[in-house]
Amino acid sequence: RIVPLDYPAALRWFKACRDKLPGCATSVGHLYRSGLGVAQDLAEARHYYLEAANRGDANGQVNLAILYRNGWGGAVDQEQAFRWYLAAAEQGEITAMNGAGYSYLEGYGVERDPAKAFYWLKRAAEAGQPNAMQTLGVMYWTEDGAPPDLFNAYRWLAMAIRTYPPNDAKLPLAQKAFREVSGLLSEAQRQPIDIAVAQSKPAAAAASSPPGR
């Protein structure tokens, strides 16, 4: 039978299962972060995400990184944000791959390293993360950490536009970059890429990252 939605009960049960399942601590963090079944408390969310992160839960790690990056529930800490983005990225968490790559690209919490940025952003883009697609396209265009390649710049920007939700705040920037790169290619050069992008089957697209990646 269908169980009625009961966030306070969910909170109690998630707290009860934390000893056996670190993902339960992440779920408690989500409830505190969203104010579901309990008053919103970002400091408590950070506490529970840290508990899960220290026990190797990739979902807890990436959410903790996001809170550190944005200063939610405590002070901004770019080094801790990078640490946890990278930990989750190494477990294959897609949003974390984007976060780690962007950290390397901008030097957030780590020494700037465009080559490592390219590695992580390409993995995230290939897994369907639209922010990574956009950034990778710009890297190919500007030759910052990627070999000069207008065709790949055009392709990844086109993929980003196709993957972003229609109301995503980052979509206009992707569209602007796409128009500029499009102007550097002839119609004959663009056409096969347009066909390939239109026929491609998008990966189960990862959600666009929050502010600060």
Side-chain angles (χ1 to χ4, degrees):
R1 66 187 182 86
I2 298 174
V3 177
L5 191 64
D6 188 338
Y7 286 118
L11 181 66
R12 290 194 301 273
W13 285 109
F14 281 135
K15 284 186 174 181
C17 71
R18 283 159 43 227
D19 289 343
K20 293 183 178 179
L21 298 171
C24 289
T26 298
S27 295
V28 174
H30 291 336
L31 293 172
Y32 274 107
R33 182 176 173 181
S34 304
L36 296 172
V38 67
Q40 186 181 46
D41 189 330
L42 295 179
E44 279 294 284
R46 186 183 285 206
H47 167 79
Y48 284 103
Y49 287 149
L50 179 60
E51 177 184 317
N54 280 326
R55 295 173 62 196
D57 184 72
N59 193 8
Q61 290 169 346
V62 69
N63 279 282
L64 181 62
I66 291 167
L67 265 60
Y68 276 127
R69 172 61 50 85
N70 292 283
W72 295 337
V76 170
D77 190 328
Q78 298 294 1
E79 291 184 0
Q80 285 296 314
F82 171 72
R83 171 192 173 187
W84 292 114
Y85 272 134
L86 186 62
E90 288 173 343
Q91 296 194 68
E93 211 290 330
I94 298 171
T95 298
M97 290 179 191
N98 177 66
Y102 197 73
S103 296
Y104 275 122
L105 185 64
E106 299 295 335
Y108 289 158
V110 65
E111 184 176 352
R112 188 174 187 272
D113 190 327
K116 289 181 179 177
F118 178 78
Y119 169 79
W120 285 114
L121 289 165
K122 190 168 187 290
R123 285 190 63 184
E126 289 172 344
Q129 218 289 337
N131 300 88
M133 293 174 181
Q134 178 180 349
T135 306
L136 188 64
V138 172
M139 290 175 74
Y140 276 119
W141 174 26
T142 61
E143 305 174 34
D144 184 9
D149 189 336
L150 287 176
F151 297 101
N152 262 318
Y154 182 84
R155 178 171 74 93
W156 282 114
L157 288 167
M159 287 295 295
I161 291 168
R162 186 175 184 226
T163 307
Y164 272 128
N167 60 346
D168 195 289
K170 302 181 186 76
L171 179 58
L173 291 176
Q175 292 169 327
K176 182 176 184 294
F178 177 77
R179 288 193 297 270
E180 293 189 36
V181 172
S182 178
L184 301 174
L185 298 172
S186 68
E187 183 177 353
Q189 290 172 320
R190 296 193 305 267
Q191 188 175 41
I193 304 173
D194 290 337
I195 293 171
V197 168
Q199 292 178 344
S200 65
K201 184 178 181 181
S208 173
S209 294
R213 311 274 177 146

